Amino acid sequence: MANSNYTVQFNGVNIVTTVTNSSLFIDSVLNEFRSKRVIGLDIEWNSASPTSKVATLQLCHGSRCIIIQLLHLDFIPNSLKNLLSDRSVNFVGVGITQDITKLDRDYGLKCWYGHELGPLADRVYGTQQFGGAGLVSLMQHIVGGRIEKSEFATRSNWGVNILNTDQITYATIDAYASFAIGNKLLGGNN
């Protein structure tokens, strides 16, 4: 599989998701992300092995997501390096600081800046209740949506050549929820 498109329904939104392990194809999809101010970012790896490399990178803006199977790329395209290092983009997520560190360590991918959603919510709302909150809680409190996490997908083998439907849904919803929360906190309409 070089690339496939899926539609994931979540919270009343049809999210068009491209899953790809083709370095050349990534350029065309990432063109859709150019000049976007807020992008949800998440990664997956085989958590049973803490030293395993990042298997997938998920990016989402609006109802458009891409799942890049980093483990199966023949090379990292410049379009991905350029997007991640673009100082005008606000990457958002839960645990994004660790995700960015892992992307750099495993692939030399440098991300200019990532906003941790919990502390960002505390700053925006002037509270101290969201700092350690997870994605499920933040989605419920900030956007009003409900996320059901699949334990099967969480613990699955993210390094496989072909991701299954549960994995694609899980990865898409995590990236989309990160975008939706971050977009609301950073002013919306991005």
Side-chain angles (χ1 to χ4, degrees), residues 137-149:
S137 176
L138 289 169
M139 186 68 181
Q140 183 177 1
H141 287 94
I142 307 296
V143 179
R146 182 180 164 107
I147 299 174
E148 299 288 335
K149 291 275 194 173

Side-chain angles (χ1 to χ4, degrees), residues 34-97:
R34 285 185 184 210
S35 75
K36 303 302 183 194
R37 198 171 74 81
V38 178
I39 295 177
L41 182 149
D42 193 31
I43 63 172
E44 303 300 336
W45 70 93
N46 294 328
S47 58
S49 172
T51 58
S52 69
K53 288 179 84 169
V54 173
T56 65
L57 167 63
Q58 299 91 251
L59 301 171
C60 187
H61 176 80
S63 61
R64 187 67 172 105
C65 290
I66 183 171
I67 300 172
I68 300 169
Q69 294 182 282
L70 291 171
L71 276 179
H72 302 291
L73 293 178
D74 48 351
F75 65 93
I76 304 289
N78 284 332
S79 60
L80 180 57
K81 293 176 188 176
N82 293 339
L83 178 66
L84 290 174
S85 64
D86 186 336
R87 292 175 186 242
S88 69
V89 176
N90 294 288
F91 291 97
V92 293
V94 171
I96 196 167
T97 305

